[in-house]
Amino acid sequence: MSEQHGTVVIGAGPAGLTAAYELLRHGRSVQIFEADEVVGGISRTVERDGWRFDIGGHRFFTKVPRVEAFWHEILPDEDFLTRPRMSRIFYRGALFNYPLSAMNALRNLGLPEAARCLGSYARARLRPPRDQSHFEGWVSARFGWRLYSIFFKTYTEKVWGMPADRLRADWAAQRIKNLSLATAIRNALLPRGRRTDVTSLIEEFQYPKYGPGMMWERCAEQVRKRGGQLSTGTWVTAVHRDPKRRRAISVTVDGAGGQRTEPADHVISSMPISELVTALRPPAPPEVLACAADLRYRDFLTVALVVPAEFSFPDNWIYVHDPGVRVGRIQNFGSWSPYLVKDGRTCLGLEYFVFEDDDMWRTPDADLVALATAELERLGLVRPGVVEAGYVVRMPKAYPVYDESYQHNVDVIRAWLAEAVPNVHPVGRNGMHRYNNQDHSMLTAMLTVENIATGGTHDVWSVNVEQDYHEQSSGGDGRHGTGRDAPVLPSRIVAAPITTPEGVRPAGDGGRSAQVPLA
């Protein structure tokens, strides 16, 4: 069908802006509508009083050459820094290597606790847990209960907001692969060439010097320069379809100029797929609406605290495995880029995983700053009284939840969209309810544009189905995984009464290129 009205893109995050840029490359007209006032989705850079925050942390590393080329087409080489990859686990005042190093872990634990951990491991080998269908049973069978409780249980429960014995084991099997305490010790003692093949991670990555938002702000500038129309602060409130022609024909938007309707030949949507379904007019069938309503998300907030540079640390972030505090992870923005902070100071971003509208989400900013300051002091990472300022950033819908019914729900929605409105194209993390990294979100947009502009037949839903972890180094074995997995959670479970329920939301699509251990 020839183009009459062009393509509407919903959301100006990585997937939405990539789609717009690629459409313009093919000579197609495009309008982008972004509900937020800024672009980038969860991959934005937030700026407050001259401090810049990377929400969630975005390592620019990919195994997809065309994504790498895109990044360097948008930003010149001089705008990228090469940064060392470093993350550690904070537990009982000590920092443990991540991924775990047996000798480092045993040394930090001390001989008495190390002996108890080894005894616990021996018991698990002699009498493995009967039920290994869940995360807790699977991991404790391979590490013993004590090491599991130290290095896996607390953080995982903070991220997903429920007990670890309610998370499915197949996700743990993918994330931990063939690692056990025995192989960890063996790998620590053997020469590198004789080690068991356990996941290794990249040692450095690229990073825009002013944070990930620099990429998407520049991309938005290029989209406008090339003739694309980009409207921020503008909600798509309805996607109108013609049931007889089986096509979407227009969208209704609501922005500064009031409501208006824009015709469209195609709609590329990075808005949450649950919201896309409810925006369709006439409405989707009841069973499709029910599936959309059943999709869930985990949200996220960051409390950024300004401290003297003496309290900096070399890690991009540290994982906090202390059940006595609610913070799950602490970023050091100065370790990402010196351009994010100011001379003589750094900014530490305390990350809390929440559900939207739970107690943490509703807490006033001043109280969250006070809580984060108290937790940072309690952990011994700063001296009392040194925090100079604090800022709160809330991001809803950071993580699509993979509960027991999510795949059925997505399959039903996907099949109905393909039949009823084949010119509506979901892309990106929330657009497809896929736990995609930034580069995978971009790739879904690139392939979608090829389907529209050149008549391609790419299966966009096949992106990120391989299970090799995104930040694995290739290792020369010919495997090229492009995805990362997420745990399958029990259906319809609300935040369990554990020490840390928390959450986040991009207005368009998001996508991180960053590892979360077992989360």
Side-chain angles (χ1 to χ4, degrees):
M1 180 181 292
S2 61
E3 184 180 68
Q4 294 180 318
H5 306 295
T7 298
V8 165
V9 175
I10 305 175
L17 284 171
T18 299
Y21 189 91
E22 293 294 313
L23 283 164
L24 293 166
R25 192 197 302 277
H26 285 279
R28 299 298 185 104
S29 60
V30 60
Q31 294 186 83
I32 312 101
F33 298 108
E34 167 58 51
D36 213 327
E37 296 294 342
V38 298
V39 301
I42 197 174
S43 298
R44 72 189 64 187
T45 300
V46 175
E47 185 172 356
R48 304 277 179 86
D49 296 335
W51 300 94
R52 292 180 171 88
F53 318 134
D54 179 348
I55 305 305
H58 293 75
R59 293 177 175 134
F60 280 68
F61 169 81
T62 184
K63 297 178 181 179
V64 185
R66 63 191 299 180
V67 169
E68 179 92 15
F70 185 101
W71 287 337
H72 287 273
E73 183 175 337
I74 298 299
L75 290 180
D77 289 349
E78 56 266 27
D79 282 340
F80 283 97
L81 306 175
T82 299
R83 307 300 291 170
R85 182 199 180 283
M86 185 175 183
S87 305
R88 287 179 292 177
I89 295 168
F90 185 85
Y91 177 74
R92 290 186 177 176
L95 288 165
F96 294 77
N97 294 340
Y98 181 75
L100 291 176
S101 162
M103 294 300 101
N104 167 264
L106 295 176
R107 183 170 57 249
N108 280 343
L109 289 170
L111 286 177
E113 180 62 29
R116 285 190 286 268
C117 288
L118 290 171
S120 174
Y121 170 71
R123 285 191 296 275
R125 300 304 294 170
L126 290 171
R127 294 185 178 180
R130 291 182 179 179
D131 186 359
Q132 296 184 35
S133 65
H134 51 70
F135 180 90
E136 183 167 287
W138 194 96
V139 177
S140 60
R142 286 152 182 82
F143 286 84
W145 174 263
R146 293 191 75 90
L147 279 176
Y148 156 74
S149 63
I150 293 170
F151 292 116
F152 299 95
K153 177 179 171 67
T154 300
Y155 183 80
T156 301
E157 292 185 340
K158 286 181 180 183
V159 171
W160 295 106
M162 62 186 64
D165 61 3
R166 305 184 88 165
L167 304 178
R168 289 274 295 277
D170 50 1
W171 173 67
Q174 183 268 324
R175 294 304 298 272
I176 305 174
K177 295 240 172 189
N178 57 334
L179 182 62
S180 67
L181 181 60
T183 54
I185 293 174
R186 185 164 59 248
N187 290 337
L189 297 176
L190 290 175
R192 182 178 297 270
R194 297 180 58 193
R195 294 180 182 181
T196 305
D197 180 22
V198 179
T199 298
S200 59
L201 301 178
I202 61 168
E203 295 182 357
E204 59 182 27
F205 58 92
Q206 299 175 87
Y207 192 74
K209 62 183 183 182
Y210 290 113
M214 182 183 188
M215 172 71 66
W216 302 113
E217 291 161 13
R218 191 74 54 82
C219 186
E221 292 173 6
Q222 288 297 315
V223 164
R224 285 180 167 131
K225 183 177 179 181
R226 296 177 181 219
Q229 299 178 46
L230 170 57
S231 302
T232 56
T234 305
W235 288 261
V236 172
T237 58
V239 177
H240 304 280
R241 64 188 182 93
D242 183 339
K244 292 183 179 179
R245 294 170 56 204
R246 296 194 308 114
R247 298 189 66 78
I249 54 175
S250 63
V251 300
T252 296
V253 299
D254 192 353
Q259 279 199 354
R260 67 184 191 273
T261 298
E262 297 287 349
D265 295 314
H266 291 271
V267 176
I268 297 177
S269 173
S270 68
M271 72 192 296
I273 196 169
S274 56
E275 296 179 11
L276 170 65
V277 170
T278 58
L280 285 160
R281 303 288 185 273
E287 61 271 21
V288 178
L289 288 169
C291 288
D294 197 42
L295 292 174
R296 296 185 296 146
Y297 304 86
R298 188 75 164 134
D299 308 300
F300 178 93
L301 60 85
T302 295
V303 183
L305 302 178
V306 177
V307 299
E310 67 182 281
F311 300 104
S312 182
F313 45 80
D315 310 67
N316 309 124
W317 52 54
I318 57 176
Y319 303 105
V320 181
H321 286 227
D322 186 334
V325 293
R326 300 184 73 166
V327 62
R329 192 172 66 176
I330 303 174
Q331 289 201 65
N332 179 12
F333 296 117
S335 290
W336 289 92
S337 168
Y339 295 91
L340 301 184
V341 298
K342 302 178 183 180
D343 288 345
R345 294 171 178 81
T346 193
C347 192
L348 304 181
L350 283 73
E351 298 178 345
Y352 296 87
F353 305 94
V354 302
F355 287 111
E356 194 174 356
D357 294 330
D358 69 9
D359 65 319
M360 283 286 289
W361 188 265
R362 296 191 305 269
T363 299
D365 286 5
D367 292 345
L368 287 173
V369 170
L371 169 68
T373 300
E375 293 199 338
L376 198 62
E377 293 173 352
R378 188 179 310 144
L379 292 169
L381 294 174
V382 298
R383 290 193 306 270
V386 302
V387 172
E388 300 176 15
Y391 308 89
V392 176
V393 181
R394 291 173 174 82
M395 290 291 291
K397 291 184 171 62
Y399 302 110
V401 169
Y402 283 19
D403 61 23
E404 290 170 325
S405 59
Y406 99 93
Q407 190 62 65
H408 167 76
N409 292 333
V410 171
D411 287 346
V412 169
I413 293 169
R414 173 185 171 188
W416 182 80
L417 288 174
E419 175 64 25
V421 279
N423 64 331
V424 172
H425 312 275
V427 296
R429 173 181 283 204
N430 283 340
M432 302 172 76
H433 204 81
R434 300 289 291 275
Y435 193 36
N436 281 342
N437 293 297
Q438 179 175 229
D439 59 337
H440 303 130
S441 293
M442 294 171 63
L443 184 57
T444 63
M446 291 173 173
L447 297 179
T448 294
V449 169
E450 287 186 2
N451 289 347
I452 292 171
T454 69
T457 57
H458 299 295
D459 179 7
V460 176
W461 290 89
S462 69
V463 174
N464 194 19
V465 297
E466 294 178 57
Q467 294 206 338
D468 280 349
Y469 186 70
H470 171 72
E471 288 194 0
Q472 277 181 249
S473 56
S474 296
D477 59 5
R479 293 176 300 166
H480 299 285
T482 61
R484 78 171 178 198
D485 207 354
V488 176
L489 309 181
S491 297
R492 295 291 93 199
I493 289 183
V494 184
I498 59 173
T499 26
T500 63
E502 298 122 85
V504 180
R505 166 181 182 169
D509 60 276
R512 304 184 316 166
S513 295
Q515 178 169 10
V516 179
L518 306 173

